[in-house]
Structures are given as C-alpha cells and as structure tokens.
Amino acid sequence: FISGDLSEELFRDDCVFVDPTNSVASLSRYRNALRILFDPNQSAVRLIEPLTIDEKNRIISGRIRSWGVLQLPWNPRISSYETKIVYSIDDDGLVYSQNQEWSIPASEALSETFTPAMLNPPFSNLERPDDEPPEVTELFEIINGHRPDSYPQDTRLRASELIDKIVSRQYTWHREDLPGKWALSYLQPGPDGGGIDRRIPFPDLWFNKNFQIFTRDSVLNIGELLGPGLEVRVGGSLEELDKSLSTPKRFRANINSGKICAGQSKTGCIPLPISGEGLFDGVYLGQRLRIGQNLNGGG
C-alpha cells in the first residue's frame, strides 16, 4: 500500500484494485502508481485486525491503518485513516479483486492531497519507547497527524475508549517528559461542550494549529490565527499543586502575559492585556503523548 512491492504470484495480471477515488484493472499499473505516490520514508501501514478467511465465498478481509506523505511538490500529508480491505479469490487461488472502504470521505482525502505542507496538521516522528503501553501506542497512531475536528465518528469513539482506558490505569507521572512543545491533536468536549480554554476569542479556522510549550516552571499557549504567520501567545508560571508522581496530577498556571505575533520570526509582537489563573489535571504523560483535563470549563 506504500511501496507497491506486491507479491506478483498472488495476483492476476488483470486484478481490479478499487478504492473510493479510483479503480485500476492492472497489477502493473497499480504497483507503478503506488511507487510514485507515497514517500516510503514518511509513510506507514499497520494491520489493526487479523485477516479473516471466508473459504466458502473465497474472500479474505482485514482492517489496516495508514498515514503518510505524498510525493508531490507541496509535500501534502495524509492523516491516519482506517481501511477495510477485501480480497476476492478466483478458482486458481489468485486475487482478482482488491476493494477498499475508507473511514474518511473521499472528499477529505482529496482535500488533504492539495493542502500545502505549511498547513499540514502537526505530526511527530518520535519512535515508540520500549516501555510505552500498547493502548498508548494505538492512541498515538490514531491521533498523530490529525486536527482535533478531523475524526470520523467511529475513530473518535475508539480514541475516547482508549483515553478512558489509559486514564483508569493511573500511570506514573514522568515529570522529566513534560518540557517541550506539544501539539493539540484530539479534544474531548468539556461537560458543557467547552473546547480549548481561550482568554480571548479568535477565528477557529480549519488550518490553524494549537500548541503548548512547557518548561519545568512555565507554560506558553500558542494559537494560530491565520496559519503559522499570525498567532496569539499566552503564558505564565506553572505550579505543581502536589509533588507526587501519581495521576491525576493537578497544576496551576498563573497567566501574566499575552501578545499577537506576526511573521515567521515572531519578532513583531503586540502586547495583549491578558492575565488570570488556569487549572488543569495531568492524567497521562509519556515521551510522545500527554493527556490533560482542563478544569476551567474546557475539554
């Protein structure tokens, strides 16, 4: 699905490959298309359900999760999505049809294809740590490279299930993993439907990204207004309200600065009169995934 390296002896030469955007009735054409479509160094496929075999109807089916970067001049990134794939087998034991059903609409896939790299959602290339729990790995692969509002309903339900499972296990809080830049990739609404806790309103355009930068004693919230060229920065000191390493772990952010910054260098900034107090619980912290609960009405 990424490299085009298919086992020729398993497919008929005139095998039909069907997905929601295309249909190709040629093994060689399908392989050649895959070879030039995805960047194999930045793309991946995972089998997320064991293959099932229906001997009576001569069908093999399974589910995979895919994500990656297309080899186009503007380097568009395709967010992770799931595929139900069905292989139909002929009397000679060869695959004569490969049919794909995606968890995302074809229109969304086409939209991402034409999105330039600077507007791609955040994506992490961090390798899986050896001690990362399997449910954390699955959640990371689901949300990595996604925007908070870009999930189909079944994927959102699975992500919420995994979050509840992770939170219930009350993993140890690894304080040393907090410093760094974290991107918002998934959001469960708060009790009253609240989302991101913002001190000032600004347009929530589809291509804007949101980040938090932590040190051991400070936090900086970054919200894009018009992509990376214009953003709001709100920050202040960070205080642990308990010194234990158990979760949930409560923090207080004392917000004392705000500004709007323009340009790639972010040197042209206009101060904003922002101050206040924010409370949040840290409910999971690993090397590449953090889950927090906003206690100011957000998610």
Side-chain angles (χ1 to χ4, degrees), residues 94-111:
L94 298 177
V95 178
Y96 70 86
S97 173
Q98 173 188 287
N99 192 283
Q100 298 184 39
E101 295 179 9
W102 296 345
S103 63
I104 59 173
S107 58
E108 181 177 332
L110 290 172
S111 175

Side-chain angles (χ1 to χ4, degrees), residues 55-71:
E55 293 186 7
K56 180 179 179 180
N57 295 304
R58 309 182 69 86
I59 286 174
I60 300 174
S61 59
R63 294 188 70 85
I64 59 175
R65 182 177 297 120
S66 312
W67 64 91
V69 173
L70 301 183
Q71 298 186 99

Side-chain angles (χ1 to χ4, degrees), residues 5-6 43 52 77 129 137 149 158 165 193 198 212 269 275 296:
D5 186 17
L6 301 178
S43 308
T52 60
R77 178 171 295 282
T137 299
D149 60 353
R158 180 56 180 162
K165 183 176 182 179
R198 289 173 171 149
Q212 286 185 309
C269 298
S275 63
N296 294 89

